[in-house]
Amino acid sequence: MAKVILTGAQMLFVAFGALVLVPLLTGLDPSVALFTAGVGTLVFHAVTKQSVPVFLASSFAFIAPIQGSVASFGVPATMGGLMAAGLVYVAISQAVRLKGTAWLHRLPPAVVVGPVIMVIGLALAPVAVSMATGETSDNIGYGAAIFLSMTSLLVTLVLAVFGRGLLRLVPIIGGIVTGYCLALVMGVVDFTPVREAAWLSIPSFTAPSFHWAAILFMIPVAIAPAVEHIGDMVAIGSVTRKTTWKSLAYIAPC
């Protein structure tokens, strides 16, 4: 049970960081992203009968398109475009349900899926560097930021490479705990927003509007996250040995 709790907590921290980062970079509301991701994940597990151990978070592939769409069409039209992109996933899932997965293996082969996933992650390298050097923070200097980020990274790498048993399964938690404890000692963490925040609040939902220009702009973007999702299922299946390609029949925007 302890192993399940720790690995689940690690997945929570990893997904939380990715989930919050996307709306922060695109100008959307992080609370809406957290709420919808939580509801979507619960629905996903209910439909798949808990056969796929994943958490649905934001896809980095949508960052640049959302930024461009918000600048050109506004937030409501962008939401409408994203809903249309979600329908593309529904169409793909039904094709998998009806026709099986053979065509899916041929359409995006592994040599295509791998580079797409790599590019999606590497495209955000500049953002990671700016955060690690303190460029996006007003309350930390360059030297302190480098010390904290490199220490966290070092602990994560050491646990991942040299850790044994349970420690090797949770290297990210080790890095997060180490970095956060050091940040507390150095006085970098500011609890003022936490104290000023309301105990309960409703996310600021935005009603979508549907414009053909925004929809046609966003639909092609759905291809990259679909390929990303396929890669996720392959990776999870190789780890758990339980996930099957039938889970792609429940493909969801994440």
Side-chain angles (χ1 to χ4, degrees):
M1 179 61 70
K3 182 183 296 184
V4 173
I5 293 175
L6 283 176
T7 53
Q10 177 169 260
M11 180 61 189
L12 172 64
F13 283 116
V14 173
F16 176 83
L19 176 60
V20 173
L21 179 62
V22 173
L24 289 177
L25 294 179
T26 57
L28 302 180
D29 190 346
S31 62
V32 174
L34 287 168
F35 180 85
T36 53
V39 172
T41 300
L42 293 176
V43 173
F44 181 85
H45 285 302
V47 172
T48 59
K49 298 179 181 179
Q50 300 182 3
S51 62
V52 188
V54 298
F55 174 81
L56 302 186
S58 304
S59 173
F60 290 168
F62 277 101
I63 292 177
I66 290 177
Q67 290 174 333
S69 181
V70 170
S72 301
F73 310 110
V75 174
T78 299
M79 296 296 103
L82 290 172
M83 289 184 64
L87 294 178
V88 173
Y89 296 120
V90 174
I92 295 175
S93 69
Q94 294 310 306
V96 171
R97 185 187 297 274
L98 297 175
K99 300 294 184 179
T101 60
W103 66 274
L104 200 57
H105 284 285
R106 293 192 299 269
L107 186 61
V111 294
V112 174
V113 174
V116 168
I117 297 175
M118 291 171 62
V119 169
I120 291 174
L122 291 174
L124 285 177
V127 177
V129 172
S130 65
M131 289 184 170
T133 55
E135 294 179 9
T136 58
S137 177
D138 296 329
N139 61 337
I140 184 172
Y142 178 81
I146 291 295
F147 173 74
L148 286 174
S149 59
M150 292 300 101
T151 302
S152 301
L153 178 60
L154 179 61
V155 171
T156 302
L157 293 176
V158 168
L159 291 179
V161 176
F162 301 106
R164 294 292 182 270
L166 187 60
L167 288 178
R168 189 166 189 174
L169 296 177
V170 289
I172 296 177
I173 285 186
I176 291 175
V177 171
T178 301
Y180 194 75
C181 290
L182 287 175
L184 288 174
V185 173
M186 297 171 62
V188 174
V189 181
D190 183 11
F191 289 102
T192 302
V194 178
R195 291 192 295 266
E196 295 178 350
W199 282 89
L200 296 173
S201 63
I202 299 176
S204 302
F205 294 103
T206 300
S209 61
F210 300 95
H211 300 281
W212 280 112
I215 291 174
L216 295 176
F217 176 80
M218 197 63 66
I219 283 180
V221 184
I223 298 175
V227 174
E228 181 184 17
H229 183 88
I230 294 170
D232 291 341
M233 294 301 104
V234 172
I236 294 171
S238 66
V239 173
T240 63
R241 302 299 180 187
K242 296 179 181 180
T243 303
T244 67
W245 279 85
K246 291 182 180 179
S247 63
L248 289 173
Y250 308 103
I251 192 169
C254 56

